[in-house]
Amino acid sequence: MKLLILNGPNLNLLGTREPETYGNKSFEDYFSDLQFKFRNIELSYDQTNIEGELIDKIQQARNDFDGIILNAAAYTHTSVGIGDAVAAVHIPVVEVHISNTFSREDFRHSSYISKNAAGVIIGFGLKSYDLAIQSFIDMGNA
Ligand code: DQA
């Protein structure tokens, strides 16, 4: 089972970015923990700040991976293009968010991705990614 964790804009700054909201750990450090915990799964991690690159990576992943764990970050709330890319690929996409977007500003309450996601995991800190991987295992895709 091959899963891609794909992070969007500003998530490269995890660890230093608004730590009260996103925690103190870099994603690279957390990713090592995930690789250790889920040794039986081929996990890959990618990140870009650029909307079109996220679309390219989602499209490419449909040939290379069994599923995507997607945190499109701010583009979640703005990008019809990323929503369409999720609808276009026929591998399951689990949408994740670190913070509870529903307890934050109104503009974070909507998502262009959720409608076509296999599921959505919101608000458990970095643990949201762990739960997403677990959901692939439990759904029998891993
Ligand atoms: C986020 C929530 C988004 O609203 C925000 O723009 C992010 C991160 C999260 O993981 O909590 O950059 O997707």
Side-chain angles (χ1 to χ4, degrees), residues 53-112:
E53 285 186 3
L54 273 177
I55 295 170
D56 285 343
K57 288 173 191 294
I58 292 165
Q59 290 185 9
Q60 185 58 42
R62 81 189 193 283
N63 301 316
D64 300 339
F65 293 93
D66 301 302
I68 304 173
I69 294 163
L70 176 64
N71 186 348
Y75 292 138
T76 304
H77 319 300
T78 62
S79 178
V80 174
I82 293 173
D84 283 353
V86 170
V89 297
H90 296 294
I91 56 172
V93 177
V94 172
E95 176 182 354
V96 303
H97 297 286
I98 298 164
S99 64
N100 180 356
T101 48
F102 291 101
S103 68
R104 302 179 66 194
E105 301 95 325
D106 285 353
F107 67 84
R108 297 186 203 274
H109 297 183
S110 66
S111 165
Y112 282 101

